[in-house]
PDB file of all heavy atoms in Angstrom:
ATOM      1  N   LEU A 249       0.820  -1.226   0.000  1.00  0.00           N
ATOM      2  CA  LEU A 249       0.000   0.000   0.000  1.00  0.00           C
ATOM      3  C   LEU A 249       0.847   1.266   0.000  1.00  0.00           C
ATOM      4  O   LEU A 249       0.307   2.371   0.120  1.00  0.00           O
ATOM      5  CB  LEU A 249      -0.927   0.004   1.223  1.00  0.00           C
ATOM      6  CG  LEU A 249      -2.046  -1.031   1.243  1.00  0.00           C
ATOM      7  CD1 LEU A 249      -2.750  -1.023   2.595  1.00  0.00           C
ATOM      8  CD2 LEU A 249      -3.056  -0.764   0.132  1.00  0.00           C
ATOM      9  N   LEU A 250       2.147   1.119  -0.157  1.00  0.00           N
ATOM     10  CA  LEU A 250       3.069   2.237   0.011  1.00  0.00           C
ATOM     11  C   LEU A 250       2.732   3.427  -0.876  1.00  0.00           C
ATOM     12  O   LEU A 250       2.826   4.588  -0.450  1.00  0.00           O
ATOM     13  CB  LEU A 250       4.500   1.766  -0.276  1.00  0.00           C
ATOM     14  CG  LEU A 250       5.629   2.526   0.417  1.00  0.00           C
ATOM     15  CD1 LEU A 250       5.432   2.533   1.928  1.00  0.00           C
ATOM     16  CD2 LEU A 250       6.977   1.891   0.052  1.00  0.00           C
ATOM     17  N   SER A 251       2.298   3.153  -2.094  1.00  0.00           N
ATOM     18  CA  SER A 251       2.017   4.238  -3.038  1.00  0.00           C
ATOM     19  C   SER A 251       0.806   5.076  -2.616  1.00  0.00           C
ATOM     20  O   SER A 251       0.592   6.171  -3.138  1.00  0.00           O
ATOM     21  CB  SER A 251       1.791   3.680  -4.445  1.00  0.00           C
ATOM     22  OG  SER A 251       0.665   2.822  -4.471  1.00  0.00           O
ATOM     23  N   HIS A 252       0.025   4.561  -1.677  1.00  0.00           N
ATOM     24  CA  HIS A 252      -1.184   5.268  -1.227  1.00  0.00           C
ATOM     25  C   HIS A 252      -0.969   6.049   0.078  1.00  0.00           C
ATOM     26  O   HIS A 252      -1.907   6.652   0.593  1.00  0.00           O
ATOM     27  CB  HIS A 252      -2.318   4.265  -1.004  1.00  0.00           C
ATOM     28  CG  HIS A 252      -2.690   3.494  -2.227  1.00  0.00           C
ATOM     29  ND1 HIS A 252      -3.367   4.053  -3.286  1.00  0.00           N
ATOM     30  CD2 HIS A 252      -2.464   2.194  -2.564  1.00  0.00           C
ATOM     31  CE1 HIS A 252      -3.564   3.139  -4.225  1.00  0.00           C
ATOM     32  NE2 HIS A 252      -3.023   2.008  -3.817  1.00  0.00           N
ATOM     33  N   ALA A 253       0.243   6.049   0.592  1.00  0.00           N
ATOM     34  CA  ALA A 253       0.482   6.558   1.949  1.00  0.00           C
ATOM     35  C   ALA A 253       0.097   8.015   2.134  1.00  0.00           C
ATOM     36  O   ALA A 253      -0.273   8.423   3.241  1.00  0.00           O
ATOM     37  CB  ALA A 253       1.951   6.359   2.332  1.00  0.00           C
ATOM     38  N   TYR A 254       0.176   8.815   1.068  1.00  0.00           N
ATOM     39  CA  TYR A 254      -0.104  10.240   1.223  1.00  0.00           C
ATOM     40  C   TYR A 254      -1.435  10.663   0.630  1.00  0.00           C
ATOM     41  O   TYR A 254      -1.697  11.849   0.432  1.00  0.00           O
ATOM     42  CB  TYR A 254       1.071  11.069   0.691  1.00  0.00           C
ATOM     43  CG  TYR A 254       2.280  10.840   1.571  1.00  0.00           C
ATOM     44  CD1 TYR A 254       3.323  10.018   1.146  1.00  0.00           C
ATOM     45  CD2 TYR A 254       2.342  11.363   2.857  1.00  0.00           C
ATOM     46  CE1 TYR A 254       4.406   9.761   1.982  1.00  0.00           C
ATOM     47  CE2 TYR A 254       3.401  11.109   3.694  1.00  0.00           C
ATOM     48  CZ  TYR A 254       4.447  10.310   3.254  1.00  0.00           C
ATOM     49  OH  TYR A 254       5.500  10.052   4.092  1.00  0.00           O
ATOM     50  N   GLU A 255      -2.290   9.682   0.372  1.00  0.00           N
ATOM     51  CA  GLU A 255      -3.669  10.004   0.033  1.00  0.00           C
ATOM     52  C   GLU A 255      -4.421  10.336   1.314  1.00  0.00           C
ATOM     53  O   GLU A 255      -4.123   9.799   2.379  1.00  0.00           O
ATOM     54  CB  GLU A 255      -4.321   8.812  -0.673  1.00  0.00           C
ATOM     55  CG  GLU A 255      -3.699   8.482  -2.017  1.00  0.00           C
ATOM     56  CD  GLU A 255      -4.306   7.228  -2.643  1.00  0.00           C
ATOM     57  OE1 GLU A 255      -5.409   6.828  -2.215  1.00  0.00           O
ATOM     58  OE2 GLU A 255      -3.673   6.658  -3.548  1.00  0.00           O
ATOM     59  N   ASP A 256      -5.392  11.218   1.196  1.00  0.00           N
ATOM     60  CA  ASP A 256      -6.169  11.610   2.381  1.00  0.00           C
ATOM     61  C   ASP A 256      -7.293  10.600   2.603  1.00  0.00           C
ATOM     62  O   ASP A 256      -8.481  10.917   2.497  1.00  0.00           O
ATOM     63  CB  ASP A 256      -6.719  13.028   2.206  1.00  0.00           C
ATOM     64  CG  ASP A 256      -7.280  13.589   3.510  1.00  0.00           C
ATOM     65  OD1 ASP A 256      -6.856  13.137   4.590  1.00  0.00           O
ATOM     66  OD2 ASP A 256      -8.143  14.476   3.442  1.00  0.00           O
ATOM     67  N   LYS A 257      -6.884   9.375   2.913  1.00  0.00           N
ATOM     68  CA  LYS A 257      -7.820   8.276   3.106  1.00  0.00           C
ATOM     69  C   LYS A 257      -7.338   7.386   4.246  1.00  0.00           C
ATOM     70  O   LYS A 257      -6.149   7.359   4.569  1.00  0.00           O
ATOM     71  CB  LYS A 257      -7.923   7.414   1.833  1.00  0.00           C
ATOM     72  CG  LYS A 257      -8.463   8.132   0.611  1.00  0.00           C
ATOM     73  CD  LYS A 257      -8.470   7.200  -0.594  1.00  0.00           C
ATOM     74  CE  LYS A 257      -8.966   7.897  -1.846  1.00  0.00           C
ATOM     75  NZ  LYS A 257      -8.920   6.998  -3.035  1.00  0.00           N
ATOM     76  N   ALA A 258      -8.281   6.647   4.834  1.00  0.00           N
ATOM     77  CA  ALA A 258      -7.928   5.614   5.811  1.00  0.00           C
ATOM     78  C   ALA A 258      -7.580   4.334   5.067  1.00  0.00           C
ATOM     79  O   ALA A 258      -8.105   4.069   3.980  1.00  0.00           O
ATOM     80  CB  ALA A 258      -9.099   5.370   6.761  1.00  0.00           C
ATOM     81  N   PHE A 259      -6.684   3.530   5.651  1.00  0.00           N
ATOM     82  CA  PHE A 259      -6.303   2.260   5.037  1.00  0.00           C
ATOM     83  C   PHE A 259      -6.200   1.178   6.105  1.00  0.00           C
ATOM     84  O   PHE A 259      -5.889   1.457   7.268  1.00  0.00           O
ATOM     85  CB  PHE A 259      -4.964   2.396   4.298  1.00  0.00           C
ATOM     86  CG  PHE A 259      -5.076   3.109   2.990  1.00  0.00           C
ATOM     87  CD1 PHE A 259      -4.830   4.470   2.917  1.00  0.00           C
ATOM     88  CD2 PHE A 259      -5.448   2.438   1.841  1.00  0.00           C
ATOM     89  CE1 PHE A 259      -4.944   5.155   1.712  1.00  0.00           C
ATOM     90  CE2 PHE A 259      -5.570   3.102   0.624  1.00  0.00           C
ATOM     91  CZ  PHE A 259      -5.321   4.461   0.566  1.00  0.00           C
ATOM     92  N   PRO A 260      -6.450  -0.088   5.732  1.00  0.00           N
ATOM     93  CA  PRO A 260      -6.369  -1.187   6.693  1.00  0.00           C
ATOM     94  C   PRO A 260      -4.944  -1.448   7.163  1.00  0.00           C
ATOM     95  O   PRO A 260      -3.992  -1.301   6.380  1.00  0.00           O
ATOM     96  CB  PRO A 260      -6.919  -2.390   5.909  1.00  0.00           C
ATOM     97  CG  PRO A 260      -6.728  -2.034   4.474  1.00  0.00           C
ATOM     98  CD  PRO A 260      -6.875  -0.552   4.393  1.00  0.00           C
ATOM     99  N   ILE A 261      -4.816  -1.813   8.434  1.00  0.00           N
ATOM    100  CA  ILE A 261      -3.506  -2.169   8.992  1.00  0.00           C
ATOM    101  C   ILE A 261      -3.524  -3.572   9.577  1.00  0.00           C
ATOM    102  O   ILE A 261      -2.592  -3.978  10.268  1.00  0.00           O
ATOM    103  CB  ILE A 261      -3.054  -1.159  10.074  1.00  0.00           C
ATOM    104  CG1 ILE A 261      -4.097  -1.072  11.203  1.00  0.00           C
ATOM    105  CG2 ILE A 261      -2.794   0.211   9.465  1.00  0.00           C
ATOM    106  CD1 ILE A 261      -3.633  -0.269  12.402  1.00  0.00           C
ATOM    107  N   GLY A 262      -4.600  -4.328   9.293  1.00  0.00           N
ATOM    108  CA  GLY A 262      -4.736  -5.668   9.854  1.00  0.00           C
ATOM    109  C   GLY A 262      -5.523  -5.659  11.142  1.00  0.00           C
ATOM    110  O   GLY A 262      -5.788  -4.611  11.739  1.00  0.00           O
ATOM    111  N   GLU A 263      -5.939  -6.863  11.571  1.00  0.00           N
ATOM    112  CA  GLU A 263      -6.682  -7.029  12.823  1.00  0.00           C
ATOM    113  C   GLU A 263      -8.000  -6.256  12.816  1.00  0.00           C
ATOM    114  O   GLU A 263      -8.521  -5.881  13.875  1.00  0.00           O
ATOM    115  CB  GLU A 263      -5.832  -6.598  14.034  1.00  0.00           C
ATOM    116  CG  GLU A 263      -4.523  -7.348  14.180  1.00  0.00           C
ATOM    117  CD  GLU A 263      -4.732  -8.839  14.417  1.00  0.00           C
ATOM    118  OE1 GLU A 263      -5.533  -9.196  15.293  1.00  0.00           O
ATOM    119  OE2 GLU A 263      -4.081  -9.652  13.705  1.00  0.00           O
ATOM    120  N   GLY A 264      -8.540  -5.992  11.611  1.00  0.00           N
ATOM    121  CA  GLY A 264      -9.800  -5.269  11.513  1.00  0.00           C
ATOM    122  C   GLY A 264      -9.702  -3.793  11.838  1.00  0.00           C
ATOM    123  O   GLY A 264     -10.727  -3.127  12.037  1.00  0.00           O
ATOM    124  N   GLN A 265      -8.476  -3.250  11.884  1.00  0.00           N
ATOM    125  CA  GLN A 265      -8.261  -1.859  12.250  1.00  0.00           C
ATOM    126  C   GLN A 265      -7.732  -1.076  11.050  1.00  0.00           C
ATOM    127  O   GLN A 265      -7.348  -1.649  10.030  1.00  0.00           O
ATOM    128  CB  GLN A 265      -7.262  -1.765  13.413  1.00  0.00           C
ATOM    129  CG  GLN A 265      -7.652  -2.578  14.634  1.00  0.00           C
ATOM    130  CD  GLN A 265      -8.956  -2.118  15.250  1.00  0.00           C
ATOM    131  OE1 GLN A 265      -9.085  -0.964  15.654  1.00  0.00           O
ATOM    132  NE2 GLN A 265      -9.928  -3.012  15.347  1.00  0.00           N
ATOM    133  N   THR A 266      -7.709   0.247  11.192  1.00  0.00           N
ATOM    134  CA  THR A 266      -7.243   1.107  10.105  1.00  0.00           C
ATOM    135  C   THR A 266      -6.272   2.160  10.625  1.00  0.00           C
ATOM    136  O   THR A 266      -6.258   2.473  11.820  1.00  0.00           O
ATOM    137  CB  THR A 266      -8.407   1.847   9.423  1.00  0.00           C
ATOM    138  OG1 THR A 266      -9.061   2.679  10.399  1.00  0.00           O
ATOM    139  CG2 THR A 266      -9.407   0.873   8.816  1.00  0.00           C
ATOM    140  N   ILE A 267      -5.452   2.702   9.712  1.00  0.00           N
ATOM    141  CA  ILE A 267      -4.728   3.937   9.989  1.00  0.00           C
ATOM    142  C   ILE A 267      -5.659   5.045   9.525  1.00  0.00           C
ATOM    143  O   ILE A 267      -6.161   5.029   8.393  1.00  0.00           O
ATOM    144  CB  ILE A 267      -3.354   3.990   9.268  1.00  0.00           C
ATOM    145  CG1 ILE A 267      -2.638   5.320   9.589  1.00  0.00           C
ATOM    146  CG2 ILE A 267      -3.466   3.745   7.777  1.00  0.00           C
ATOM    147  CD1 ILE A 267      -1.191   5.369   9.094  1.00  0.00           C
ATOM    148  N   SER A 268      -5.947   5.974  10.401  1.00  0.00           N
ATOM    149  CA  SER A 268      -6.975   6.983  10.131  1.00  0.00           C
ATOM    150  C   SER A 268      -6.599   7.888   8.970  1.00  0.00           C
ATOM    151  O   SER A 268      -5.420   8.083   8.643  1.00  0.00           O
ATOM    152  CB  SER A 268      -7.219   7.841  11.373  1.00  0.00           C
ATOM    153  OG  SER A 268      -7.838   7.102  12.387  1.00  0.00           O
ATOM    154  N   GLN A 269      -7.622   8.449   8.347  1.00  0.00           N
ATOM    155  CA  GLN A 269      -7.451   9.464   7.318  1.00  0.00           C
ATOM    156  C   GLN A 269      -6.649  10.631   7.900  1.00  0.00           C
ATOM    157  O   GLN A 269      -6.920  11.075   9.021  1.00  0.00           O
ATOM    158  CB  GLN A 269      -8.825   9.937   6.861  1.00  0.00           C
ATOM    159  CG  GLN A 269      -8.822  11.043   5.831  1.00  0.00           C
ATOM    160  CD  GLN A 269     -10.234  11.527   5.537  1.00  0.00           C
ATOM    161  OE1 GLN A 269     -11.209  11.017   6.091  1.00  0.00           O
ATOM    162  NE2 GLN A 269     -10.353  12.523   4.680  1.00  0.00           N
ATOM    163  N   PRO A 270      -5.655  11.159   7.178  1.00  0.00           N
ATOM    164  CA  PRO A 270      -4.869  12.278   7.709  1.00  0.00           C
ATOM    165  C   PRO A 270      -5.715  13.454   8.183  1.00  0.00           C
ATOM    166  O   PRO A 270      -5.421  14.037   9.236  1.00  0.00           O
ATOM    167  CB  PRO A 270      -3.975  12.659   6.523  1.00  0.00           C
ATOM    168  CG  PRO A 270      -3.775  11.375   5.794  1.00  0.00           C
ATOM    169  CD  PRO A 270      -5.099  10.661   5.913  1.00  0.00           C
ATOM    170  N   TYR A 271      -6.759  13.800   7.438  1.00  0.00           N
ATOM    171  CA  TYR A 271      -7.609  14.906   7.876  1.00  0.00           C
ATOM    172  C   TYR A 271      -8.234  14.628   9.239  1.00  0.00           C
ATOM    173  O   TYR A 271      -8.314  15.522  10.094  1.00  0.00           O
ATOM    174  CB  TYR A 271      -8.714  15.186   6.850  1.00  0.00           C
ATOM    175  CG  TYR A 271      -9.731  16.188   7.357  1.00  0.00           C
ATOM    176  CD1 TYR A 271      -9.397  17.535   7.483  1.00  0.00           C
ATOM    177  CD2 TYR A 271     -11.006  15.776   7.755  1.00  0.00           C
ATOM    178  CE1 TYR A 271     -10.317  18.458   7.978  1.00  0.00           C
ATOM    179  CE2 TYR A 271     -11.924  16.695   8.242  1.00  0.00           C
ATOM    180  CZ  TYR A 271     -11.578  18.027   8.353  1.00  0.00           C
ATOM    181  OH  TYR A 271     -12.481  18.933   8.852  1.00  0.00           O
ATOM    182  N   THR A 272      -8.659  13.383   9.455  1.00  0.00           N
ATOM    183  CA  THR A 272      -9.262  13.016  10.738  1.00  0.00           C
ATOM    184  C   THR A 272      -8.250  13.174  11.866  1.00  0.00           C
ATOM    185  O   THR A 272      -8.568  13.706  12.942  1.00  0.00           O
ATOM    186  CB  THR A 272      -9.786  11.573  10.694  1.00  0.00           C
ATOM    187  OG1 THR A 272     -10.713  11.441   9.620  1.00  0.00           O
ATOM    188  CG2 THR A 272     -10.456  11.186  11.997  1.00  0.00           C
ATOM    189  N   VAL A 273      -7.026  12.700  11.633  1.00  0.00           N
ATOM    190  CA  VAL A 273      -5.954  12.840  12.628  1.00  0.00           C
ATOM    191  C   VAL A 273      -5.711  14.321  12.933  1.00  0.00           C
ATOM    192  O   VAL A 273      -5.622  14.725  14.093  1.00  0.00           O
ATOM    193  CB  VAL A 273      -4.660  12.169  12.126  1.00  0.00           C
ATOM    194  CG1 VAL A 273      -3.498  12.432  13.098  1.00  0.00           C
ATOM    195  CG2 VAL A 273      -4.863  10.669  11.948  1.00  0.00           C
ATOM    196  N   ALA A 274      -5.615  15.123  11.876  1.00  0.00           N
ATOM    197  CA  ALA A 274      -5.359  16.552  12.055  1.00  0.00           C
ATOM    198  C   ALA A 274      -6.515  17.243  12.775  1.00  0.00           C
ATOM    199  O   ALA A 274      -6.299  18.093  13.652  1.00  0.00           O
ATOM    200  CB  ALA A 274      -5.114  17.210  10.696  1.00  0.00           C
ATOM    201  N   PHE A 275      -7.739  16.887  12.421  1.00  0.00           N
ATOM    202  CA  PHE A 275      -8.919  17.507  13.012  1.00  0.00           C
ATOM    203  C   PHE A 275      -8.991  17.215  14.513  1.00  0.00           C
ATOM    204  O   PHE A 275      -9.188  18.128  15.331  1.00  0.00           O
ATOM    205  CB  PHE A 275     -10.176  17.009  12.309  1.00  0.00           C
ATOM    206  CG  PHE A 275     -11.432  17.729  12.721  1.00  0.00           C
ATOM    207  CD1 PHE A 275     -11.759  18.954  12.164  1.00  0.00           C
ATOM    208  CD2 PHE A 275     -12.293  17.179  13.665  1.00  0.00           C
ATOM    209  CE1 PHE A 275     -12.917  19.625  12.550  1.00  0.00           C
ATOM    210  CE2 PHE A 275     -13.450  17.832  14.056  1.00  0.00           C
ATOM    211  CZ  PHE A 275     -13.760  19.066  13.488  1.00  0.00           C
ATOM    212  N   GLN A 276      -8.828  15.942  14.880  1.00  0.00           N
ATOM    213  CA  GLN A 276      -8.858  15.595  16.302  1.00  0.00           C
ATOM    214  C   GLN A 276      -7.728  16.284  17.057  1.00  0.00           C
ATOM    215  O   GLN A 276      -7.922  16.776  18.170  1.00  0.00           O
ATOM    216  CB  GLN A 276      -8.749  14.074  16.482  1.00  0.00           C
ATOM    217  CG  GLN A 276     -10.036  13.317  16.216  1.00  0.00           C
ATOM    218  CD  GLN A 276      -9.991  11.913  16.797  1.00  0.00           C
ATOM    219  OE1 GLN A 276      -9.314  11.045  16.259  1.00  0.00           O
ATOM    220  NE2 GLN A 276     -10.705  11.687  17.874  1.00  0.00           N
ATOM    221  N   THR A 277      -6.553  16.314  16.439  1.00  0.00           N
ATOM    222  CA  THR A 277      -5.397  16.920  17.095  1.00  0.00           C
ATOM    223  C   THR A 277      -5.613  18.414  17.300  1.00  0.00           C
ATOM    224  O   THR A 277      -5.265  18.964  18.352  1.00  0.00           O
ATOM    225  CB  THR A 277      -4.128  16.673  16.263  1.00  0.00           C
ATOM    226  OG1 THR A 277      -3.970  15.259  16.052  1.00  0.00           O
ATOM    227  CG2 THR A 277      -2.899  17.195  16.981  1.00  0.00           C
ATOM    228  N   GLU A 278      -6.211  19.062  16.329  1.00  0.00           N
ATOM    229  CA  GLU A 278      -6.473  20.496  16.451  1.00  0.00           C
ATOM    230  C   GLU A 278      -7.460  20.779  17.584  1.00  0.00           C
ATOM    231  O   GLU A 278      -7.301  21.743  18.341  1.00  0.00           O
ATOM    232  CB  GLU A 278      -6.993  21.053  15.127  1.00  0.00           C
ATOM    233  CG  GLU A 278      -6.845  22.558  15.008  1.00  0.00           C
ATOM    234  CD  GLU A 278      -6.948  23.049  13.569  1.00  0.00           C
ATOM    235  OE1 GLU A 278      -8.013  22.861  12.940  1.00  0.00           O
ATOM    236  OE2 GLU A 278      -5.971  23.636  13.080  1.00  0.00           O
ATOM    237  N   LEU A 279      -8.469  19.917  17.727  1.00  0.00           N
ATOM    238  CA  LEU A 279      -9.434  20.089  18.827  1.00  0.00           C
ATOM    239  C   LEU A 279      -8.769  19.935  20.192  1.00  0.00           C
ATOM    240  O   LEU A 279      -9.171  20.583  21.162  1.00  0.00           O
ATOM    241  CB  LEU A 279     -10.571  19.071  18.692  1.00  0.00           C
ATOM    242  CG  LEU A 279     -11.559  19.255  17.532  1.00  0.00           C
ATOM    243  CD1 LEU A 279     -12.636  18.173  17.589  1.00  0.00           C
ATOM    244  CD2 LEU A 279     -12.197  20.636  17.542  1.00  0.00           C
ATOM    245  N   LEU A 280      -7.742  19.094  20.264  1.00  0.00           N
ATOM    246  CA  LEU A 280      -7.056  18.872  21.545  1.00  0.00           C
ATOM    247  C   LEU A 280      -6.269  20.090  22.014  1.00  0.00           C
ATOM    248  O   LEU A 280      -6.050  20.270  23.214  1.00  0.00           O
ATOM    249  CB  LEU A 280      -6.086  17.688  21.423  1.00  0.00           C
ATOM    250  CG  LEU A 280      -6.651  16.278  21.538  1.00  0.00           C
ATOM    251  CD1 LEU A 280      -5.536  15.264  21.334  1.00  0.00           C
ATOM    252  CD2 LEU A 280      -7.334  16.042  22.874  1.00  0.00           C
ATOM    253  N   ASN A 281      -5.796  20.912  21.050  1.00  0.00           N
ATOM    254  CA  ASN A 281      -5.021  22.106  21.390  1.00  0.00           C
ATOM    255  C   ASN A 281      -3.813  21.746  22.269  1.00  0.00           C
ATOM    256  O   ASN A 281      -3.673  22.217  23.402  1.00  0.00           O
ATOM    257  CB  ASN A 281      -5.913  23.142  22.085  1.00  0.00           C
ATOM    258  CG  ASN A 281      -5.229  24.490  22.229  1.00  0.00           C
ATOM    259  OD1 ASN A 281      -4.355  24.833  21.441  1.00  0.00           O
ATOM    260  ND2 ASN A 281      -5.622  25.252  23.235  1.00  0.00           N
ATOM    261  N   ILE A 282      -2.943  20.914  21.713  1.00  0.00           N
ATOM    262  CA  ILE A 282      -1.788  20.401  22.451  1.00  0.00           C
ATOM    263  C   ILE A 282      -0.739  21.477  22.708  1.00  0.00           C
ATOM    264  O   ILE A 282      -0.400  22.266  21.821  1.00  0.00           O
ATOM    265  CB  ILE A 282      -1.123  19.244  21.666  1.00  0.00           C
ATOM    266  CG1 ILE A 282      -2.083  18.055  21.534  1.00  0.00           C
ATOM    267  CG2 ILE A 282       0.180  18.816  22.327  1.00  0.00           C
ATOM    268  CD1 ILE A 282      -2.390  17.358  22.830  1.00  0.00           C
ATOM    269  N   HIS A 283      -0.216  21.484  23.931  1.00  0.00           N
ATOM    270  CA  HIS A 283       0.937  22.308  24.284  1.00  0.00           C
ATOM    271  C   HIS A 283       2.083  21.385  24.700  1.00  0.00           C
ATOM    272  O   HIS A 283       1.837  20.344  25.316  1.00  0.00           O
ATOM    273  CB  HIS A 283       0.595  23.259  25.430  1.00  0.00           C
ATOM    274  CG  HIS A 283      -0.439  24.279  25.074  1.00  0.00           C
ATOM    275  ND1 HIS A 283      -1.786  24.079  25.314  1.00  0.00           N
ATOM    276  CD2 HIS A 283      -0.336  25.488  24.475  1.00  0.00           C
ATOM    277  CE1 HIS A 283      -2.469  25.131  24.893  1.00  0.00           C
ATOM    278  NE2 HIS A 283      -1.619  25.992  24.373  1.00  0.00           N
ATOM    279  N   PRO A 284       3.321  21.736  24.360  1.00  0.00           N
ATOM    280  CA  PRO A 284       4.458  20.881  24.718  1.00  0.00           C
ATOM    281  C   PRO A 284       4.482  20.571  26.209  1.00  0.00           C
ATOM    282  O   PRO A 284       4.237  21.441  27.046  1.00  0.00           O
ATOM    283  CB  PRO A 284       5.674  21.729  24.301  1.00  0.00           C
ATOM    284  CG  PRO A 284       5.161  22.604  23.195  1.00  0.00           C
ATOM    285  CD  PRO A 284       3.746  22.923  23.577  1.00  0.00           C
ATOM    286  N   GLY A 285       4.766  19.311  26.507  1.00  0.00           N
ATOM    287  CA  GLY A 285       4.859  18.875  27.900  1.00  0.00           C
ATOM    288  C   GLY A 285       3.567  18.365  28.497  1.00  0.00           C
ATOM    289  O   GLY A 285       3.572  17.795  29.596  1.00  0.00           O
ATOM    290  N   GLU A 286       2.448  18.544  27.797  1.00  0.00           N
ATOM    291  CA  GLU A 286       1.182  18.070  28.345  1.00  0.00           C
ATOM    292  C   GLU A 286       1.120  16.545  28.346  1.00  0.00           C
ATOM    293  O   GLU A 286       1.643  15.876  27.450  1.00  0.00           O
ATOM    294  CB  GLU A 286       0.004  18.635  27.543  1.00  0.00           C
ATOM    295  CG  GLU A 286      -0.247  20.102  27.813  1.00  0.00           C
ATOM    296  CD  GLU A 286      -1.501  20.617  27.135  1.00  0.00           C
ATOM    297  OE1 GLU A 286      -1.816  20.176  26.022  1.00  0.00           O
ATOM    298  OE2 GLU A 286      -2.170  21.484  27.742  1.00  0.00           O
ATOM    299  N   LYS A 287       0.458  16.022  29.366  1.00  0.00           N
ATOM    300  CA  LYS A 287       0.287  14.576  29.510  1.00  0.00           C
ATOM    301  C   LYS A 287      -0.994  14.170  28.795  1.00  0.00           C
ATOM    302  O   LYS A 287      -2.089  14.603  29.165  1.00  0.00           O
ATOM    303  CB  LYS A 287       0.212  14.218  30.999  1.00  0.00           C
ATOM    304  CG  LYS A 287       0.236  12.730  31.303  1.00  0.00           C
ATOM    305  CD  LYS A 287       0.261  12.517  32.819  1.00  0.00           C
ATOM    306  CE  LYS A 287       0.359  11.046  33.170  1.00  0.00           C
ATOM    307  NZ  LYS A 287       0.370  10.860  34.646  1.00  0.00           N
ATOM    308  N   VAL A 288      -0.834  13.363  27.749  1.00  0.00           N
ATOM    309  CA  VAL A 288      -1.958  13.020  26.884  1.00  0.00           C
ATOM    310  C   VAL A 288      -2.192  11.521  26.882  1.00  0.00           C
ATOM    311  O   VAL A 288      -1.253  10.732  26.728  1.00  0.00           O
ATOM    312  CB  VAL A 288      -1.702  13.501  25.436  1.00  0.00           C
ATOM    313  CG1 VAL A 288      -2.869  13.136  24.536  1.00  0.00           C
ATOM    314  CG2 VAL A 288      -1.458  15.003  25.402  1.00  0.00           C
ATOM    315  N   LEU A 289      -3.446  11.130  27.047  1.00  0.00           N
ATOM    316  CA  LEU A 289      -3.837   9.716  26.947  1.00  0.00           C
ATOM    317  C   LEU A 289      -4.502   9.495  25.602  1.00  0.00           C
ATOM    318  O   LEU A 289      -5.460  10.179  25.248  1.00  0.00           O
ATOM    319  CB  LEU A 289      -4.804   9.352  28.074  1.00  0.00           C
ATOM    320  CG  LEU A 289      -5.442   7.952  27.992  1.00  0.00           C
ATOM    321  CD1 LEU A 289      -4.379   6.851  28.037  1.00  0.00           C
ATOM    322  CD2 LEU A 289      -6.453   7.760  29.123  1.00  0.00           C
ATOM    323  N   GLU A 290      -3.976   8.526  24.850  1.00  0.00           N
ATOM    324  CA  GLU A 290      -4.594   8.128  23.587  1.00  0.00           C
ATOM    325  C   GLU A 290      -5.253   6.769  23.765  1.00  0.00           C
ATOM    326  O   GLU A 290      -4.609   5.818  24.213  1.00  0.00           O
ATOM    327  CB  GLU A 290      -3.548   8.042  22.473  1.00  0.00           C
ATOM    328  CG  GLU A 290      -4.162   7.603  21.149  1.00  0.00           C
ATOM    329  CD  GLU A 290      -3.128   7.188  20.112  1.00  0.00           C
ATOM    330  OE1 GLU A 290      -2.064   6.653  20.495  1.00  0.00           O
ATOM    331  OE2 GLU A 290      -3.391   7.377  18.917  1.00  0.00           O
ATOM    332  N   ILE A 291      -6.517   6.682  23.410  1.00  0.00           N
ATOM    333  CA  ILE A 291      -7.248   5.415  23.466  1.00  0.00           C
ATOM    334  C   ILE A 291      -7.278   4.824  22.055  1.00  0.00           C
ATOM    335  O   ILE A 291      -7.948   5.345  21.169  1.00  0.00           O
ATOM    336  CB  ILE A 291      -8.697   5.623  23.972  1.00  0.00           C
ATOM    337  CG1 ILE A 291      -8.729   6.422  25.280  1.00  0.00           C
ATOM    338  CG2 ILE A 291      -9.390   4.271  24.127  1.00  0.00           C
ATOM    339  CD1 ILE A 291      -7.994   5.803  26.418  1.00  0.00           C
TER     340      ILE A 291
END
C-alpha cells in the first residue's frame, strides 16, 4: 500500500483496524489544542 500513503484516506492495517485518514488525525489533534509537555492519553 506504500504508493497510497499520502492520500487523504484511511487504510487497513490488519486485525480489523485502520490507519486513520490524515484529515481526521489533524482535526482531532487540532481540537485537543496540544501544548508541549502536556500529559496526553490516547485510546
Side-chain angles (χ1 to χ4, degrees):
L249 292 172
L250 207 56
S251 62
H252 300 288
Y254 293 104
E255 295 176 18
D256 192 25
K257 297 178 182 178
F259 284 95
I261 57 171
E263 302 297 311
Q265 305 298 301
T266 61
I267 180 171
S268 291
Q269 177 185 359
Y271 172 72
T272 303
V273 174
F275 188 81
Q276 282 197 286
T277 304
E278 200 162 62
L279 290 182
L280 279 178
N281 191 27
I282 296 292
H283 295 93
E286 286 186 325
K287 188 176 183 180
V288 180
L289 172 61
E290 179 194 32
I291 309 300

